[in-house]
């Protein structure tokens, strides 16, 4: 049987529970254990696919096609392991599963109560994920904040598991210690309250990861220990870091890995974080930068600019830059600025490379098309992702092939020239408004054309990449496009769908219908991103 480590957050959200969970996973893996991680999102949404990225951050997609929280991306990046469907749960998903079983008479006439019906379903799902990964350790991150109504049933699952297997379950609380500027002192009270809330749910923290701007000092460590009923050495200092990849190294300095093993009665083991450590050193020391611009629309939220909507794209750029001994300086460019003329297209020249990432709906599309045209004409290295491919094809159709009204069926239902059309299998679903979890999702094969930039980048002919879309290049237009210099560099062999395009006589103009960013890992940068950065660095 595996060991289970629950991770939950106190005081407030957004303090790095996902990174903490992923970092602990990396440490345990580096000690030779098999590790998997599960994310629990307490929302009613059955998956993250129906959530607006501005509200919830990026929708991450796994090989088996689940649309999940961005933290699953952190797990894959830190663990360098693929994550599957049972590793992501929401309140909606758990209830849906229980209700479906009830409708199928799988409870054999029982009266199905919320408790233990729902926590039991959660536990069963955890065990399935454990089995699939053949894991020695299962990390389970409970989203939201302790004390919220929403995640109570998941804490209840943790409590039941701890009660049933006291030696095999640990509970880690990631908490925040504010330093209000008018006081100038790190305050422990909110964490004390969070621990009380946890106690009310019948749980006691075995370890507290104390997130703050700076390191935790001894007096506050002792204070937390006494008030929170925990040994001082189990209160771990977790100060802010410049790069999230520093976190496993910092946790190791605090001996987090062996302390966890000790709690499970397992002998201490050496960690092997050598390569990771080298990466962190590189990040700290890299002198030179590479300037990359992302032309998108999901980053404006009131007075704030959010990065979470494109997190995998950002990380993939960083990984590729690291591999070239560079630090990526990433800028957000709102495509709508090009529509309102509040920014001149000429500004794109400042960047060594431009990315147009995925997206949905009409807003900002015109501005993105203008940016693509500018990159094509001015030979700026360009990488298009999903919608980025679709808009590249529209731009090329309009401005090179002379199809002035070329568009996507997504933007105009009655389009005369839908160079991007709705996929056959999607038509019925859209008509019936069956939107949730029905896009073309997850991993599909793609055959690469020899001699293309993409083929050189991957150094092989068949690749597998992750998708999330309903619309596709319309094959009726391929001949016209190819005659004018567009290259179809990758095709899905089974369905004959265009997966990658390139443009002739351009230093680097590559766009993919899939999302390569989901498969980039810190020590294994994605081949397309790597080639893109290499092109960006060419004089
Ligand atoms: N909106 C487009 C589609 O559904 C592109 C999706 C995306 O960029 N992920 O096909």
């Amino acid at each position: 049987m595996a060991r289970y480590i629950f991770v939950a957050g106190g005081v407030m959200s957004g303090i790095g529970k996902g990174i903490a969970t992923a970092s602990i996973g990396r440490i345990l893996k580096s000690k030779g254990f098999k590790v998997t991680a599960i994310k629990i999102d307490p929302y009613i949404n059955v998956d993250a696919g129906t959530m607006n990225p501005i509200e919830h951050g990026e929708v991450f997609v796994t090989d088996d096609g689940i649309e999940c929280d961005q933290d699953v991306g952190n797990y894959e990046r830190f663990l360098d392991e693929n994550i599957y469907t049972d590793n992501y749960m929401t309140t909606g998903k758990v209830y849906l599963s229980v209700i479906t079983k009830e409708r199928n008479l799988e409870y054999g006439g029982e009266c199905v109560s919320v408790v233990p019906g729902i926590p039991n379903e959660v536990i069963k799902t955890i065990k399935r994920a454990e089995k699939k990964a053949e894991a020695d350790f299962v990390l389970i991150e409970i989203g939201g904040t302790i004390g919220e109504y929403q995640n109570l049933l998941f804490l209840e699952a943790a409590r039941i598991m701890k009660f049933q297997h006291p030696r095999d379950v640990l509970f880690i609380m990631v908490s925040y210690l504010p330093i209000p500027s008018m006081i100038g002192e790190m305050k422990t009270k909110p964490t004390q309250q969070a621990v009380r809330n946890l106690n009310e749910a019948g749980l006691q923290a075995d370890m507290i990861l104390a997130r703050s701007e700076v390191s935790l000092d001894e007096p506050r460590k002792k204070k937390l220990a006494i008030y929170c009923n925990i040994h001082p050495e189990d209160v771990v200092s977790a100060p802010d870091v410049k790069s999230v990849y520093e976190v496993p190294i910092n946790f190791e300095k605090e001996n987090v890995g062996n302390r966890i093993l000790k709690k499970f009665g397992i002998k201490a083991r050496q960690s092997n974080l050598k390569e990771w450590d080298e990466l962190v050193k590189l990040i700290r020391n890299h002198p030179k930068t590479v300037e990359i611009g992302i032309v998108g629309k999901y980053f404006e939220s009131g007075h704030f600019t959010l990065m979470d909507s494109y997190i995998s794209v950002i990380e993939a750029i960083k990984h590729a830059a690291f591999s070239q001994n560079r630090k990526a300086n990433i800028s957000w460019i709102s495509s709508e600025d090009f529509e309102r003329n509040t920014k001149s297209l000429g500004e794109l020249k400042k960047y060594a490379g431009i990315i147009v990432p995925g997206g949905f709906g009409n807003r900002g599309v015109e501005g993105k098309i203008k940016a693509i045209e500018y990159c094509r004409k001015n030979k700026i290295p360009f990488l298009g992702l999903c919608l980025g491919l679709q808009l590249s094809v529209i731009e090329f159709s309009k401005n090179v092939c002379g199809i002035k009204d070329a568009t996507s069926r997504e933007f105009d239902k009655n389009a005369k020239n839908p160079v991007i059309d709705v996929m056959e299998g999607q038509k019925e679903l859209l008509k019936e408004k069956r939107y949730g979890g029905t896009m073309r999702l997850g991993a599909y094969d793609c055959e690469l054309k020899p001699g293309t930039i993409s083929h050189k980048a991957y150094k092989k002919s068949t690749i597998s990449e992750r998708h999330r879309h309903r619309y596709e290049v319309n094959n009726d237009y391929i001949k016209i496009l190819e005659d004018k210099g567009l290259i179809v560099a990758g095709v899905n062999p089974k369905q004959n769908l265009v997966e990658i395009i390139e443009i002739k006589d351009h230093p680097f103009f590559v766009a993919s219908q899939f999302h390569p960013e989901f498969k980039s890992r810190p020590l294994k940068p994605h081949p397309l991103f790597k080639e893109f950065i290499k092109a960006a660095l060419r004089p």
Side-chain angles (χ1 to χ4, degrees):
M1 200 178 101
R3 263 75 171 211
Y4 309 91
I5 304 170
F6 284 89
V7 180
V11 179
M12 64 186 202
S13 65
I15 53 173
K17 282 196 305 288
I19 296 293
T21 307
S23 299
I24 293 169
R26 180 78 202 191
I27 291 170
L28 292 171
K29 183 178 172 177
S30 85
K31 290 182 183 292
F33 294 105
K34 287 212 80 177
V35 182
T36 194
I38 295 174
K39 169 78 190 215
I40 291 174
D41 246 349
Y43 303 102
I44 296 287
N45 303 58
V46 173
D47 56 43
T50 53
M51 295 186 223
N52 183 333
I54 292 181
E55 273 203 29
H56 187 67
E58 166 189 275
V59 179
F60 187 81
V61 181
T62 58
D63 256 5
D64 63 354
I66 46 162
E67 298 171 279
C68 45
D69 182 81
Q70 60 184 48
D71 275 328
V72 174
N74 287 326
Y75 304 161
E76 286 204 350
R77 284 188 282 272
F78 277 66
L79 289 175
D80 193 13
E81 298 281 346
N82 279 356
I83 299 276
Y84 298 98
T85 186
D86 286 320
N87 290 56
Y88 181 59
M89 268 181 264
T90 64
T91 297
K93 186 175 174 185
V94 177
Y95 268 86
L96 186 65
S97 155
V98 169
I99 291 168
T100 308
K101 284 183 188 165
E102 183 277 328
R103 291 289 80 186
N104 297 345
L105 263 180
E106 284 178 43
Y107 290 97
E110 253 178 62
C111 164
V112 188
S113 308
V114 171
V115 179
I118 299 300
N120 278 348
E121 187 65 24
V122 174
I123 294 168
K124 274 187 202 149
T125 313
I126 293 172
K127 300 244 165 124
R128 278 201 305 273
E130 167 198 331
K131 209 165 157 209
K132 166 111 186 152
E134 295 173 355
D136 302 311
F137 287 97
V138 185
L139 288 141
I140 306 127
E141 180 191 346
I142 302 180
T145 312
I146 293 161
E148 267 177 38
Y149 177 76
Q150 286 206 89
N151 54 21
L152 267 180
L153 286 169
F154 296 106
L155 291 175
E156 184 65 2
R159 186 193 66 75
I160 293 172
M161 280 187 84
K162 180 106 185 172
F163 176 70
Q164 289 172 340
H165 315 280
R167 287 156 181 257
D168 300 319
V169 178
L170 271 194
F171 204 94
I172 296 182
M173 194 176 91
V174 185
S175 194
Y176 190 69
L177 290 96
I179 309 174
S181 56
M182 62 287 188
I183 305 174
E185 184 200 336
M186 187 187 282
K187 303 303 283 179
T188 62
K189 187 75 88 212
T191 298
Q192 297 174 33
Q193 299 288 4
V195 168
R196 295 250 155 80
N197 282 333
L198 189 63
N199 294 156
E200 271 173 32
L203 285 158
Q204 168 63 39
D206 297 291
M207 186 179 272
I208 293 177
L209 303 179
R211 287 280 301 109
S212 191
E213 272 174 54
V214 296
S215 302
L216 188 71
D217 57 9
E218 274 314 304
R220 263 149 280 263
K221 206 174 230 194
K222 283 193 185 129
K223 198 167 177 182
L224 277 179
I226 290 173
Y227 285 106
C228 302
N229 208 16
I230 193 167
H231 295 289
E233 65 269 24
D234 291 326
V235 182
V236 176
S237 172
D240 284 352
V241 281
K242 282 221 175 76
S243 160
V244 291
Y245 299 115
E246 291 181 34
V247 176
I249 304 294
N250 285 358
F251 280 1
E252 252 325 63
K253 279 190 201 137
E254 296 268 329
N255 205 21
V256 168
N258 281 340
R259 250 190 255 162
I260 288 175
L261 292 188
K262 194 171 169 208
K263 286 184 183 294
F264 283 122
I266 303 170
K267 265 215 278 225
R269 281 195 196 182
Q270 195 70 34
S271 320
N272 180 5
L273 287 167
K274 197 168 160 276
E275 274 183 294
W276 198 274
D277 199 29
E278 276 162 16
L279 176 80
V280 169
K281 284 199 184 106
L282 178 115
I283 299 172
R284 285 199 192 127
N285 302 331
H286 44 67
K288 287 193 181 157
T289 56
V290 54
E291 300 291 327
I292 302 296
I294 299 181
V295 180
K297 67 170 178 182
Y298 297 123
F299 29 65
E300 288 165 4
S301 169
H303 294 316
F304 300 94
T305 305
L306 309 174
M307 295 176 277
D308 276 7
S309 313
Y310 299 112
I311 180 134
S312 292
V313 179
I314 293 166
E315 295 309 311
I317 298 171
K318 287 185 191 166
H319 305 159
F322 295 153
S323 77
Q324 304 305 306
N325 277 320
R326 296 282 175 137
K327 174 187 187 287
N329 254 352
I330 303 168
S331 305
W332 326 113
I333 306 160
S334 168
S335 58
E336 285 168 294
D337 282 345
F338 298 131
E339 295 169 11
R340 302 180 203 117
N341 287 324
T342 42
K343 194 174 255 160
S344 115
L345 283 162
E347 289 202 26
L348 295 176
K349 268 215 172 106
K350 288 201 303 216
Y351 303 100
I354 293 289
I355 292 186
V356 171
F360 294 83
N362 258 320
R363 185 169 69 84
V365 156
E366 282 315 311
K368 287 181 193 170
I369 293 179
K370 283 187 183 180
I372 293 170
E373 181 184 4
Y374 191 86
C375 291
R376 181 177 56 77
K377 288 185 173 160
N378 292 282
K379 310 236 184 272
I380 300 174
F382 171 83
L383 183 62
L385 309 171
C386 203
L387 182 70
L389 171 138
Q390 299 175 357
L391 299 182
S392 300
V393 171
I394 294 173
E395 190 278 318
F396 196 85
S397 306
K398 278 179 191 275
N399 300 328
V400 181
C401 305
I403 311 170
K404 291 288 165 227
D405 58 353
T407 186
S408 164
R409 189 78 73 191
E410 181 177 7
F411 315 134
D412 179 3
K413 284 204 174 57
N414 308 311
K416 277 213 203 78
N417 279 304
V419 292
I420 304 296
D421 207 348
V422 63
M423 275 183 276
E424 217 22 67
Q426 291 289 331
K427 289 181 184 160
E428 211 50 36
L429 296 165
L430 288 178
K431 218 185 274 165
E432 292 167 11
K433 297 198 170 163
R434 282 166 53 203
Y435 300 125
T438 58
M439 284 188 238
R440 180 173 180 242
L441 291 168
Y444 286 91
D445 280 352
C446 167
E447 292 291 337
L448 299 175
K449 190 173 183 173
T452 56
I453 295 178
S454 308
H455 190 257
K456 276 183 217 139
Y458 282 96
K459 298 186 181 70
K460 56 181 171 181
S461 297
T462 308
I463 56 161
S464 167
E465 292 282 2
R466 300 180 186 174
H467 299 69
R468 180 170 185 253
H469 61 121
R470 290 187 202 280
Y471 300 86
E472 244 304 323
V473 174
N474 184 339
N475 283 342
D476 294 347
Y477 291 86
I478 288 192
K479 173 130 188 21
I480 310 172
L481 294 164
E482 283 185 330
D483 284 348
K484 291 283 186 191
L486 186 135
I487 304 160
V488 174
V491 172
N492 171 268
K494 275 202 182 133
Q495 291 168 287
N496 194 28
L497 300 173
V498 172
E499 298 282 25
I500 312 182
I501 60 137
E502 295 177 11
I503 284 174
K504 263 191 201 149
D505 303 324
H506 191 290
F508 190 97
F509 192 109
V510 178
S512 65
Q513 185 55 76
F514 50 81
H515 291 270
E517 67 270 25
F518 294 145
K519 287 182 71 168
S520 178
R521 312 249 162 110
L523 299 169
K524 292 180 191 156
H526 190 282
L528 283 187
F529 278 89
K530 197 167 152 185
E531 281 310 305
F532 167 67
I533 293 292
K534 277 193 192 165
L537 289 171
R538 255 173 240 139

